[in-house]
């Protein structure tokens, strides 16, 4: 009998021997030691189909020459068990033979087997039935609980171990330390470190690596660095842990520095090292460094030989805003999994290319046959939110329900965000009530949604409820709260939240918090306070902070302060044409056309392209996009839309509408200004929606830029004329035009009464006057 060629070296003799065993006379038996050796060898070779018959051979041995299984027979069989049923059968057999009494080795193997299949209750029962529990038995139970993410149970068992006076070893400490991360318990991490010191385990390389990893994941980088500096010897795992800790903690420059130190110490990096380094370089914005990492992976063959490395390169290029390079890397990968597609989809979204992100997802579904996983929903749903594609997003929501992933807190949070950003705030609130709310994600999504819809008081009330339920807010929570206060003009409350986050929760403000404060003060007309706030902040103002001040200066017409803000913006972000346009519009609003010409000349010299204003509306599961100005002629319903706009304009004038030409930032005649206003993208989208939807159907419009004041006023009249609710989401917030529609609805009831008396001819179109 010759064994299969794929068997490992040394198994041939075992297979031959086992064949002889099967051919032996039933009255002749091999020694028990040989049988146990064969069972152990088959188990190590992952051949339970050959190991289990040997157990039956022992159990069916002749009464004249009995060969009873002993305590060494069952542990390898338990390790080779392929399901909980087999483990339970072996457990019953061992109990019947009395082999578990006083034998910690066999009982420990049984505990390990049950935990491998997630049978925690059975493992506890077997563990508690052990008369003598040695350290390996405790470690088996602890490590099994850790593998099953039973952090609370693992910590409780460790406390029980200490209470019974059992001294743990390096495996004990290394098993419990990861539970500190799952629980987010920094105090427990410090306590485990102290336990290791008291037991003399702090010099163990294995323990030190685990402590560095845990400290890094908990954001305790100073403690991680102290452990690292105090180590007498370091291996590759040590360097990977410290580099990863700094990268995850946002100290990307330190992560790169540690990588250089690793090379100086003669330690060669592996794939895991390069994964952390690629992420750190992406956060630094170092394009040259990113290319160097890519080249290193190419030389090692990791870019095509390791799918995780390929995914990391795609992610790195996307975060460096090199989405074309990310796409090329993705296309060159010989094998792609769902994570690969999710990474590319997220990359497009990070670069503001929501349509392309959806296109990639559609290709993944139609041509690759990959089923969406949790990361897919988290990547695609924000793209639908960004485009306002409610119907497509709703289908994605239904798909998540079908797969059961709607119960995932991250997917649920994205769904809440989808409905909130698509104007369906009631649906978002309903989903919020049904979603598990033990983390900050769902709370942040709904607070943000209430804020952009202008419901600042409700957002603040929800934050109070969040506190009452014992959920600690994070930095995203306070960004949402400050934004809500800004939209609602709640300056005093905003100041209180900004102080609260530091004093009550120990959250250090980042640039987003400062930008929200400047925006809030600026909107409220407190420009001097906003400028003083910028000058006194402890961090260097970024483009978002100066951009918030420039926007406020435009609203309140403060040209001089706007110049200061724009000069800083042109230095920080010289390729962002939006800031030039904002300054140009400010000059145009006050009639300083020389300033307008100067800014426009600057834009032309730098070859910058203006971002075209567009609005979209979803009708019959199709997203229709309209651009301001002359680009409308490409639409097949162009003439119908123009007629509808002229009809609406005539009715608006009869109701008292007067165009506000100050929002036409061009030095042209009034007739042309009226035409420019009437062809703003949101009006084109509204007219299209009126033509292609039944009467009184609500319209949801999505605009990439801010809605101008004249369009805001015109939409009120259109809402009243058409008796429709119109919801417009611009780049900053939602604008609801519902009260006019409600008032028109009341008028409709009165007209219906008159209709029954007058009985007009069928098909007559009635419009409120």
């Amino acid at each position: 009998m010759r064994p299969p060629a794929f068997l490992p070296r040394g198994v041939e003799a075992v297979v031959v021997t086992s064949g002889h065993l099967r051919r032996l006379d039933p009255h002749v038996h091999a020694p028990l030691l040989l049988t146990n050796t064969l069972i152990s060898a088959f188990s190590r070779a992952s051949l339970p189909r050959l190991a289990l018959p040997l157990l039956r051979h022992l159990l069916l041995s002749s009464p004249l020459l009995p060969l009873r299984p002993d305590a060494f027979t069952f542990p390898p069989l338990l390790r080779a068990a392929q399901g909980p049923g087999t483990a339970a059968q072996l457990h019953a057999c061992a109990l019947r033979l009395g082999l578990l009494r006083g034998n910690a080795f066999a009982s420990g193997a049984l505990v390990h087997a049950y935990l491998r299949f997630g049978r925690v209750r059975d493992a506890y029962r077997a563990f508690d039935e052990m008369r003598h529990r040695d350290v390996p038995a405790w470690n088996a139970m602890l490590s099994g609980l850790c593998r099953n993410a039973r952090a609370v149970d693992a910590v409780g068992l460790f406390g029980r171990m200490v209470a019974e006076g059992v001294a743990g070893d390096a495996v004990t400490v290394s098993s419990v330390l990861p539970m500190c991360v799952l629980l987010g318990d920094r105090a427990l991490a410090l306590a485990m470190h102290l336990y290791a010191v008291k037991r003399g385990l702090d010099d163990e390389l294995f323990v030190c690596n685990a402590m560095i990893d845990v400290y890094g994941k908990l954001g305790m980088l100073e403690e991680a660095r102290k452990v690292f500096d105090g180590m007498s010897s370091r291996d590759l795992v040590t360097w990977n842990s410290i580099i990863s800790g700094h990268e995850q903690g946002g100290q990307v420059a330190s992560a790169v520095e540690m990588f250089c130190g690793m090379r100086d110490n003669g330690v060669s990096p592996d794939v895991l090292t390069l994964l952390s380094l690629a992420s750190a370089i992406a956060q630094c914005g170092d394009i040259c460094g990113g290319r160097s990492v890519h080249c290193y992976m190419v030389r090692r063959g990791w870019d095509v030989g390791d799918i995780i490395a390929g995914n990391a390169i795609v992610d790195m290029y996307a975060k460096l805003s090199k989405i074309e390079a990310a796409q090329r890397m993705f296309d060159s990968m010989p094998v792609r999994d769902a994570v690969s597609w999710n990474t590319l989809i997220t990359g497009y979204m990070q670069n503001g290319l929501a349509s392309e992100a959806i296109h990639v997802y559609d290709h993944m579904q139609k041509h690759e046959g990959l089923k969406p996983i949790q990361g897919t929903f988290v990547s695609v749903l924000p793209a639908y939110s960004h485009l306002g594609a409610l119907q497509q997003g709703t289908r994605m929501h239904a798909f998540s329900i079908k797969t059961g992933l709607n119960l995932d807190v991250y997917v649920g949070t994205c769904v809440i965000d989808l409905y909130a950003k698509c104007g369906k705030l009631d649906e978002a609130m309903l989903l919020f009530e049904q979603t598990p709310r033990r983390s900050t994600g769902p709370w942040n999504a709904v607070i943000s949604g209430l804020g952009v819809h202008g419901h600042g008081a409700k957002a603040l009330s929800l934050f109070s409820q969040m506190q009452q339920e014992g959920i600690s807010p994070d930095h995203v929570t306070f960004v949402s709260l400050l934004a809500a206060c800004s939209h609602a003009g709640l300056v005093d409350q905003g100041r209180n939240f900004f102080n609260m986050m530091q004093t009550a929760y120990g959250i250090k403000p980042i640039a987003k918090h400062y930008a929200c404060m400047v925006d809030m003060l600026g909107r409220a007309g407190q420009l001097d306070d906003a400028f003083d706030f910028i000058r006194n902040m402890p961090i260097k103002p970024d483009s978002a902070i100066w951009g918030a001040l420039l926007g406020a200066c435009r609203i309140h017409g403060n040209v001089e302060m706007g110049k200061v803000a724009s000069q800083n913006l042109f230095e920080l972000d010289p390729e962002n044409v939006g800031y030039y346009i904002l300054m140009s519009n400010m000059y145009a609003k006050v009639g300083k056309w020389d300033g307008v010409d100067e800014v426009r000349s600057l834009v032309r010299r730098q070859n910058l392209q203006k971002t075209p204003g567009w609005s979209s509306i979803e009708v019959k599961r199709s997203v229709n996009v309209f651009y301001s100005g002359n680009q409308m002629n490409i639409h097949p319903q162009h003439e119908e839309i123009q007629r509808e706009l002229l009809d609406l304009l005539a009715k608006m004038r009869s109701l008292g509408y007067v165009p506000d030409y100050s929002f036409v930032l061009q030095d042209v005649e009034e007739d042309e200004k009226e035409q420019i206003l009437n062809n703003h993208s949101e009006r084109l989208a509204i007219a299209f929606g009126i033509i292609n939807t039944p009467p009184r159907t609500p319209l949801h419009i999505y605009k990439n830029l801010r809605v101008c004041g004249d369009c805001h006023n015109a939409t009120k009249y259109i809402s009243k004329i058409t008796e429709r609710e119109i919801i417009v989401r611009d780049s900053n917030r939602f604008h609801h035009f519902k009260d006019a529609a409600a008032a028109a609805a009341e008028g409709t009831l009165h007209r219906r009464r008159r209709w029954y008396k007058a009985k007009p001819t069928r098909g007559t179109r009635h419009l409120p006057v």
Side-chain angles (χ1 to χ4, degrees):
M1 173 182 175
R2 290 197 57 79
F6 64 87
L7 291 179
R9 181 178 297 179
V11 175
E12 180 173 352
V14 174
V15 175
V16 173
T17 307
S18 66
H20 284 299
L21 275 176
R22 288 196 291 271
R23 291 194 296 270
L24 285 176
D25 184 89
H27 298 289
V28 180
H29 301 280
L32 179 61
L33 176 61
L34 175 60
T35 306
N36 286 345
T37 303
L38 291 172
I39 290 175
S40 180
F42 287 139
S43 300
R44 286 196 300 271
S46 299
L47 295 171
R49 68 183 185 277
L50 299 179
L52 291 174
L54 294 177
L55 174 64
R56 287 193 289 271
H57 177 78
L58 291 177
L59 295 174
L60 297 176
S61 59
S62 170
L64 300 177
L65 295 170
L67 284 177
R68 286 172 50 85
D70 62 5
F72 296 98
T73 307
F74 282 92
L77 288 169
L78 287 166
R79 284 195 298 270
Q82 294 183 316
T86 304
Q89 290 175 353
L90 292 170
H91 185 188
C93 183
L95 282 174
R96 184 167 59 85
L97 295 173
L99 297 178
L100 297 180
R101 298 192 190 98
N103 192 304
F105 181 57
S107 298
L110 179 63
V111 169
H112 185 274
Y114 276 132
L115 288 170
R116 185 158 53 92
F117 300 116
R119 303 286 287 268
V120 177
R121 183 177 299 178
D122 293 332
Y124 263 118
R125 184 169 61 250
F127 181 78
D128 292 334
E129 289 174 354
M130 295 174 63
R131 293 183 179 179
H132 172 68
R133 292 184 286 269
D134 57 5
V135 174
W138 287 93
N139 289 344
M141 192 70 192
L142 283 171
S143 61
L145 290 172
C146 295
R147 283 195 303 274
N148 286 275
R150 302 288 288 265
V152 175
D153 292 338
V155 173
L157 185 69
F158 175 72
R160 175 181 164 188
M161 177 182 180
V162 173
E164 293 186 14
V166 180
D169 57 10
V171 177
T172 311
V173 176
S174 301
S175 298
V176 179
L177 276 171
M179 299 301 97
C180 304
V181 178
L182 287 180
L183 296 172
D185 194 336
R186 294 186 172 192
L188 179 61
L190 293 171
M192 291 304 302
H193 189 175
L194 180 60
Y195 180 87
V197 172
K198 288 184 175 179
R199 296 293 177 184
L201 303 172
D202 55 322
D203 289 333
E204 293 279 350
L205 180 63
F206 190 54
V207 174
C208 290
N209 289 345
M211 285 194 292
I212 292 173
D213 180 65
V214 169
Y215 280 140
K217 290 177 178 176
L218 289 173
M220 305 169 69
L221 297 181
E222 292 185 6
E223 288 78 3
R225 189 60 186 264
K226 288 178 181 178
V227 175
F228 178 83
D229 293 338
M231 295 175 66
S232 57
S233 63
R234 307 183 184 103
D235 61 2
L236 179 60
V237 176
T238 313
W239 288 99
N240 283 349
S241 299
I242 194 69
I243 292 171
S244 175
H246 281 89
E247 178 267 320
Q248 294 176 5
Q251 296 188 12
V252 290
S254 298
V256 175
E257 180 184 344
M258 295 301 298
F259 173 76
C260 296
M262 171 185 178
R263 297 297 302 275
D264 293 340
N265 280 269
V267 180
S268 297
D270 62 358
V271 174
L272 294 179
T273 317
L274 272 297
L275 295 182
S276 298
L277 184 63
S279 178
I281 286 176
Q283 295 178 59
C284 290
D286 184 1
I287 297 176
C288 292
R291 288 171 180 156
S292 298
V293 172
H294 188 188
C295 291
Y296 188 90
M297 286 193 175
V298 170
R299 290 198 300 271
R300 293 295 184 94
W302 294 337
D303 59 324
V304 294
D306 192 303
I307 192 170
I308 298 177
N311 294 342
I313 296 297
V314 173
D315 180 66
M316 179 189 72
Y317 278 128
K319 288 178 178 176
L320 289 170
S321 300
K322 296 294 180 181
I323 193 64
E324 297 86 0
Q327 181 70 64
R328 287 195 299 270
M329 179 63 214
F330 177 83
D331 293 337
S332 69
M333 294 172 64
V335 180
R336 298 186 288 257
D337 59 5
V339 177
S340 309
W341 289 91
N342 296 344
T343 304
L344 185 63
I345 293 169
T346 303
Y348 275 112
M349 269 304 300
Q350 290 170 344
N351 287 272
L353 301 171
S355 297
E356 289 78 358
I358 293 173
H359 175 74
V360 171
Y361 169 70
D362 291 340
H363 184 85
M364 166 187 168
Q365 288 289 94
K366 293 177 182 177
H367 302 288
E368 299 295 329
L370 292 173
K371 293 183 178 180
I373 59 176
Q374 183 246 32
T376 312
F377 288 94
V378 174
S379 301
V380 176
L381 283 168
Y384 291 130
S385 302
H386 182 77
L387 291 178
L390 178 61
Q391 295 177 20
Q392 297 179 52
T394 302
R395 290 202 304 273
M396 196 71 177
H397 180 202
F399 194 14
S400 72
I401 295 173
K402 183 178 179 180
T403 58
L405 286 170
N406 62 307
L407 301 176
D408 180 85
V409 66
Y410 296 103
V411 176
T413 299
C414 289
V415 174
I416 292 171
D417 184 67
L418 167 76
Y419 284 106
K421 288 184 177 177
C422 288
K424 296 290 185 179
L425 192 57
D426 291 340
E427 287 81 351
M429 293 298 298
L430 180 62
L431 286 168
F432 172 73
E433 296 297 333
Q434 300 172 352
T435 302
R437 298 179 293 180
R438 294 182 296 274
S439 63
T440 58
W443 294 92
N444 295 343
V446 78
I447 289 173
S448 175
L450 289 167
V452 296
H453 281 274
H455 302 304
K458 290 183 180 179
L460 270 56
S461 175
L462 193 68
F463 175 69
S464 299
Q465 182 183 344
M466 176 182 180
Q467 291 177 303
Q468 292 170 5
E469 294 191 16
I471 308 298
S472 298
D474 56 16
H475 71 281
V476 178
T477 312
F478 285 100
V479 170
S480 301
L481 282 171
L482 292 173
C485 292
S486 176
H487 292 308
L490 305 175
V491 177
D492 292 337
Q493 292 90 329
R495 290 181 185 272
N496 291 336
F497 285 128
F498 186 76
N499 294 327
M500 179 193 297
M501 65 180 289
Q502 301 174 71
T503 57
Y505 294 101
I507 299 175
K508 186 178 180 180
I510 59 176
K512 288 184 178 180
H513 299 109
Y514 289 109
C516 287
M517 286 295 295
V518 172
D519 183 66
M520 180 183 67
L521 295 170
R523 285 177 182 274
Q526 302 178 20
L527 293 177
D528 292 335
D529 290 345
F531 189 69
D532 291 339
F533 184 83
I534 292 175
R535 289 193 300 179
N536 295 324
M537 65 176 56
I539 66 172
K540 183 180 179 180
D542 63 3
S543 57
I545 295 171
W546 286 114
L549 182 64
L550 180 59
C553 291
R554 180 187 178 277
I555 294 172
H556 299 285
N558 192 326
V559 177
E560 295 303 318
M561 190 177 293
K563 286 182 181 179
V564 176
S566 63
Q567 288 170 0
N568 284 278
L569 286 167
F570 298 161
E571 293 177 2
L572 290 170
D573 196 359
E575 296 184 359
N576 191 328
V577 70
Y579 300 132
Y580 297 89
I581 295 172
L582 199 58
M583 192 64 204
S584 174
N585 293 348
M586 189 187 307
Y587 280 129
K589 188 175 181 179
V590 296
K592 292 188 176 182
W593 299 108
D594 292 340
V596 173
D597 294 338
E598 181 183 348
V599 175
R600 289 179 178 174
S601 298
L602 187 60
V603 171
R604 285 193 295 268
R605 285 199 302 269
Q606 297 188 4
N607 294 319
L608 300 177
Q609 297 295 323
K610 178 182 177 181
T611 302
W614 59 262
S615 297
S616 67
I617 181 172
E618 188 177 20
V619 176
K620 298 177 182 178
R621 298 186 177 181
S622 176
V623 177
N624 296 266
V625 181
F626 300 88
Y627 292 88
S628 298
N630 297 326
Q631 299 182 54
M632 178 56 211
N633 56 13
I634 64 173
H635 198 279
Q637 292 184 267
H638 169 62
E639 294 182 359
E640 293 179 73
I641 292 172
Q642 289 299 318
R643 284 196 297 269
E644 182 68 30
L645 287 172
L646 291 174
D647 186 36
L648 288 171
L649 181 59
K651 291 180 173 64
M652 288 159 55
R653 285 186 180 280
S654 69
L655 293 177
Y657 165 73
V658 178
D660 187 350
Y661 297 136
S662 66
F663 290 97
V664 178
L665 305 174
Q666 301 175 36
D667 191 10
V668 295
E669 299 296 330
E670 287 195 357
D671 290 345
E672 191 173 350
K673 288 183 178 181
E674 182 176 288
Q675 184 179 2
I676 291 172
L677 287 174
N678 212 36
N679 280 276
H680 277 187
S681 63
E682 55 266 56
R683 296 199 201 185
L684 299 173
I686 290 171
F688 175 83
I690 293 171
I691 295 170
N692 292 279
T693 59
R696 300 185 182 87
T697 302
L699 300 179
H700 295 263
I701 311 297
Y702 306 91
K703 184 174 174 64
N704 68 325
L705 305 177
R706 294 289 299 275
V707 172
C708 77
D710 184 73
C711 287
H712 190 280
N713 188 35
T715 308
K716 292 180 183 179
Y717 284 95
I718 296 173
S719 173
K720 184 175 182 180
I721 291 168
T722 60
E723 302 180 12
R724 292 175 184 259
E725 177 185 2
I726 302 176
I727 301 171
V728 181
R729 189 190 86 184
D730 65 10
S731 61
N732 193 53
R733 60 164 295 169
F734 279 85
H735 305 270
H736 292 260
F737 303 93
K738 187 176 182 179
D739 294 337
E746 294 178 2
T748 301
L749 293 175
H750 177 66
R751 284 191 299 279
R752 283 176 180 170
R753 297 190 188 99
R754 292 190 298 173
W755 183 86
Y756 287 115
K757 294 178 182 179
K759 294 183 180 180
T761 58
R762 185 179 297 274
T764 303
R765 186 180 181 187
H766 293 273
L767 290 173
V769 179

